[in-house]
Amino acid sequence: MFRRGLAAALAAGVLVSMLAACGGGQDSSANQSGGGSDQLTLGFSQVGAESGWRTANTKSVQEAAKEAGIDLKFSDAQQKQENQIKAIRSFIQQKVDAIAFSPVVESGWDTVLKEVKDAGIPVILTDRAVDSTDTSLYKTFIGSDFVVEGTKAGEWLVKEYEGKPDPVNIVELQGTTGSAPANDRKKGFGDVVAADPKFKIIASQTGDFTRAKGKEVMEAFLKANKDIDVLFAHNDDMGLGAIEAIEGAGLRPGTDIKIITIDGVKDGMQALADGKISFIAECSPLLGPQLMDLVKKAVKGEQIPTRVLTEETTFTQEQAKAALPGRKY
Ligand code: GYE
């Protein structure tokens, strides 16, 4: 702040130097923050803290930002889209250099993303996609192919029951309603098992990607259905909650009911090694380093690929045993 006496004398000079800073600044298309400091500011709106995957993802993003020297403004949306929209608007007001977010659901983003675009701030989608048809609203999307994950889960099941003609009753615990991973994993899995009429999805409901909801919904499934052969859970945490429900009902997870999950977090991998889960399709949460790299490039206006796919594998019991000691999350 200027002292009053100096204000008038300095005003003209200050104006000139401000203009110079704007015109001759870095080759960034974004707003400059931090009063001339070179440090990039990234606004990041996270989904919440619903699962082990999410915890690992948050850690990866925070550590990578630190490593890259990026000032991270982190906001937890507690699984609510309205909170994410508020956070994004506040990032615009704070004139951050870039915004990254993991959209809790796929639809309803066009208005706020248009506001970000008008403010000249680049947006990077991480982990989950949006269904906006205007792809100019974001620079890139980094994350997994969730349809492929569902397909891998379905293919394992088809193999497992190869040559066995009896009907296979499947229950499904879906992720958060309207989220990209729930929509896509359901589709990938459903399309594979639909090819053989012996596979029947007898119940399918959301467990919101949480352990508590997974347990609660599995309890209801067990009450309503006498003969469940397989559970397909859209993430490890719901599968782990369901294991408690199955054991509570006096049944053996992995033996009486086969369980397939997605993610591959430590607790899930341990349950797989113990034979309670039968198969896991991996989904990697370690997106932080690549994200920071993309942020730097996007802010500089460099060309970046519009889709960055995460590498991932699958695990059987033996593979889980082998992988567990070196597992980071
Ligand atoms: O599989 C689940 C989390 O969006 C890929 O969200 C992510 C999913 C992940 O809650 O555990």
Side-chain angles (χ1 to χ4, degrees):
M1 285 293 125
F2 304 110
R3 261 182 272 134
R4 233 178 246 156
L6 284 176
L10 289 177
V14 168
L15 190 63
V16 168
S17 63
M18 273 171 69
L19 288 172
C22 289
Q26 300 159 347
D27 50 350
S28 158
S29 60
N31 292 319
Q32 297 301 308
S33 68
S37 111
D38 277 349
Q39 192 180 31
L40 290 186
T41 303
L42 171 66
F44 182 78
S45 169
Q46 179 60 291
V47 167
E50 73 282 2
S51 65
W53 190 100
R54 190 63 54 196
T55 306
N57 179 248
T58 293
K59 193 164 171 252
S60 171
V61 169
Q62 288 173 334
E63 284 177 359
K66 211 168 171 201
E67 180 82 6
I70 290 177
D71 175 19
L72 183 71
K73 298 197 181 301
F74 183 91
S75 173
D76 176 342
Q78 300 182 327
Q79 296 245 66
K80 291 204 178 76
Q81 181 175 33
E82 65 200 72
N83 291 344
Q84 291 200 297
I85 292 175
K86 266 189 219 150
I88 292 169
R89 290 199 167 125
S90 135
F91 294 148
I92 298 176
Q93 295 227 303
Q94 294 173 62
K95 298 190 182 344
V96 296
D97 296 301
I99 293 175
F101 77 114
S102 177
V104 59
V105 290
E106 274 189 288
S107 57
W109 296 103
D110 289 38
T111 305
V112 73
L113 288 183
K114 182 87 191 352
E115 290 166 23
V116 185
K117 193 181 170 188
D118 290 346
I121 302 172
V123 169
I124 294 177
L125 302 177
T126 86
D127 156 36
R128 296 185 182 177
V130 298
D131 67 2
S132 305
T133 46
D134 181 359
T135 52
S136 79
L137 294 176
Y138 54 90
K139 297 285 177 219
T140 184
F141 165 39
I142 173 175
S144 312
D145 186 328
F146 302 131
V147 177
V148 168
E149 292 168 352
T151 303
K152 287 176 186 167
E155 283 170 352
W156 179 83
L157 190 66
V158 168
K159 260 234 155 117
E160 184 69 9
Y161 284 90
E162 208 165 43
K164 299 175 190 159
D166 292 344
V168 181
N169 289 334
I170 304 164
V171 295
E172 179 179 29
L173 282 169
Q174 298 177 33
T176 301
T177 306
S179 69
N183 293 342
D184 294 354
R185 288 171 183 169
K186 182 170 179 43
K187 180 169 183 0
F189 180 83
D191 284 354
V192 174
V193 300
D196 187 335
K198 76 179 176 190
F199 294 110
K200 293 189 175 61
I201 301 179
I202 57 169
S204 180
Q205 225 176 283
T206 182
D208 216 8
F209 280 132
T210 69
R211 237 179 247 216
K213 259 296 191 91
K215 181 178 181 199
E216 190 187 307
V217 177
M218 190 66 200
E219 279 168 355
F221 283 167
L222 287 162
K223 276 199 191 116
N225 306 280
K226 285 282 138 284
D227 195 11
I228 300 172
D229 301 302
V230 174
L231 161 68
F232 171 45
H234 289 189
N235 78 344
D236 289 349
D237 282 82
M238 291 190 294
L240 292 162
I243 286 174
E244 291 176 35
I246 293 167
E247 287 175 338
L251 296 169
R252 292 162 304 171
T255 309
D256 297 320
I257 298 178
K258 288 196 193 336
I259 303 176
I260 307 167
T261 64
I262 294 178
D263 275 354
V265 298
K266 249 195 192 139
D267 290 354
M269 294 285 274
Q270 189 58 56
L272 176 56
D274 296 342
K276 294 186 177 187
I277 291 178
S278 303
F279 184 74
I280 296 180
E282 186 185 38
C283 178
S284 174
L286 306 180
L287 306 178
Q290 269 176 304
L291 171 62
M292 297 313 148
D293 202 42
L294 291 166
V295 165
K296 284 185 179 169
K297 289 185 172 146
V299 170
K300 279 193 203 142
E302 283 177 25
Q303 204 56 32
I304 52 174
T306 51
R307 178 75 170 98
V308 179
L309 258 183
T310 319
E311 266 182 51
E312 36 214 17
T313 181
T314 58
F315 296 101
T316 59
Q317 182 177 28
E318 288 317 309
Q319 289 165 330
K321 281 184 187 162
L324 257 173
R327 204 77 180 153
K328 289 203 188 68
Y329 56 90

